[in-house]
Amino acid sequence: MNDINIQRRSFLKTSLGVAAVAIAPGMLLFDMAHGKPQSVSGKVRWGMLIDTTQCKEGCNDCVTACHRENGVSGGTRATDSQWIRKIELKDVSSGRELSLPMMCQHCEHPPCVDVCPTTASFKRADGIVLVDKHRCIGCRYCMMACPYKARSFVHESLYDQNPDVPRGKGTVEACTLCVHRIDQGRQPACAEACPNKAILFGDLNDPESEIARKVGSVASVQVRADLRLNPGIRYQGL
């Protein structure tokens, strides 16, 4: 009996140690799934400023680039994943029309994280909101909580995936800001592909960054600012 108790204590001690590593500050479940744990800094807040005056109606280069980079089919069925979509808006009083991309807004206070029962939805220290595929049980609470309709459920088996972008049947997914590219010092695919440079990506917390200077000098809005989620995606000219 004593031997059994000693073994149990040893097992619990080891298990708790592993759990502590998995949730330690700066240790990323998303990257651990790749066997490449990395640290991120809370001093950084990645975000985008999207200039709707430069986003042209009918242009879908950002959507195409996102699909290609992340292995999303780009299909139009209700069951197809959509990490980014173009929205056409019209002001009925003035007749003014706008075209803009809509994706996960990477909120400072993400409701998808709040409702997730398994902590599969989580926010990195640098503000990027992600889904850990190993923890997601497909309950879709996060989809119902997201006011931007930015999350999709994977209904079918997936093939020929990008190894840097883990996806899986029965799980929820959304725009990751191309986190695998960011961790390599690169821009998200949508920002890189935009022919009109309508998508400006950078560190909102760095006062010397181009995006921080522009956010401080031009009028920009947050979609559903009334919810006080403080999204990392801002829109100019909206």
Side-chain angles (χ1 to χ4, degrees), residues 113-127:
V113 172
D114 291 340
V115 301
C116 181
T118 65
T119 68
S121 290
F122 68 102
K123 184 178 66 130
R124 296 203 328 176
D126 57 6

Side-chain angles (χ1 to χ4, degrees), residues 182-230:
I182 292 174
D183 288 345
Q184 297 169 0
R186 303 163 65 197
Q187 289 194 80
C190 60
E192 187 177 88
C194 180
N196 300 307
K197 306 301 179 185
I199 303 175
L200 178 60
F201 169 78
D203 180 7
L204 292 165
N205 284 350
D206 179 2
E208 300 302 317
S209 69
E210 183 181 0
I211 188 173
R213 291 199 304 269
K214 195 162 185 180
V215 167
S217 63
V218 302
S220 64
V221 300
Q222 303 172 8
V223 176
R224 292 303 310 269
D226 57 305
L227 298 177
R228 299 183 179 181
L229 303 176
N230 191 18

Side-chain angles (χ1 to χ4, degrees), residues 27-28 40 45 106-110 112-113 119-131 151 229-230:
M27 194 65 72
L28 314 179
V40 294
R45 174 80 193 280
H106 297 278
C107 307
E108 180 182 7
H109 310 292
C112 57
V113 172
T119 68
S121 290
F122 68 102
K123 184 178 66 130
R124 296 203 328 176
D126 57 6
I128 302 177
V129 178
L130 299 170
V131 179
R151 293 199 158 193
L229 303 176
N230 191 18

Side-chain angles (χ1 to χ4, degrees), residues 58-116:
C59 177
N60 288 288
D61 287 4
C62 59
V63 177
T64 301
C66 172
H67 291 164
R68 182 172 56 246
E69 178 70 28
N70 296 292
V72 180
S73 69
T76 57
R77 298 175 304 169
T79 55
D80 288 324
S81 289
Q82 239 182 357
W83 289 22
I84 180 174
R85 66 190 190 278
K86 287 293 294 293
I87 294 179
E88 310 298 333
L89 302 177
K90 183 175 183 179
D91 186 333
V92 292
S93 59
S94 66
R96 182 187 179 214
E97 297 184 357
L98 290 173
S99 180
L100 57 92
M102 178 63 63
M103 70 286 277
C104 171
Q105 300 289 288
H106 297 278
C107 307
E108 180 182 7
H109 310 292
C112 57
V113 172
D114 291 340
V115 301
C116 181

Side-chain angles (χ1 to χ4, degrees), residues 30-73:
F30 185 88
D31 288 325
M32 288 178 70
H34 293 79
K36 299 183 297 182
Q38 298 184 23
S39 61
V40 294
S41 171
K43 295 179 180 179
V44 175
R45 174 80 193 280
W46 296 118
M48 289 180 174
L49 177 62
I50 299 175
D51 186 350
T52 61
T53 66
Q54 298 301 315
C55 187
K56 306 303 181 183
E57 181 181 358
C59 177
N60 288 288
D61 287 4
C62 59
V63 177
T64 301
C66 172
H67 291 164
R68 182 172 56 246
E69 178 70 28
N70 296 292
V72 180
S73 69

Side-chain angles (χ1 to χ4, degrees), residues 79 81 83 120 131-140 142-143 151-156 158 161 166-174:
T79 55
S81 289
W83 289 22
V131 179
D132 184 337
K133 304 303 180 185
H134 299 282
R135 290 178 178 266
C136 181
I137 58 174
C139 67
R140 290 176 262 191
C142 61
M143 293 178 65
R151 293 199 158 193
S152 300
F153 182 78
V154 183
H155 291 266
E156 300 173 349
L158 303 171
Q161 296 188 58
R167 302 174 64 211
K169 180 180 179 180
T171 63
V172 174
E173 59 186 17

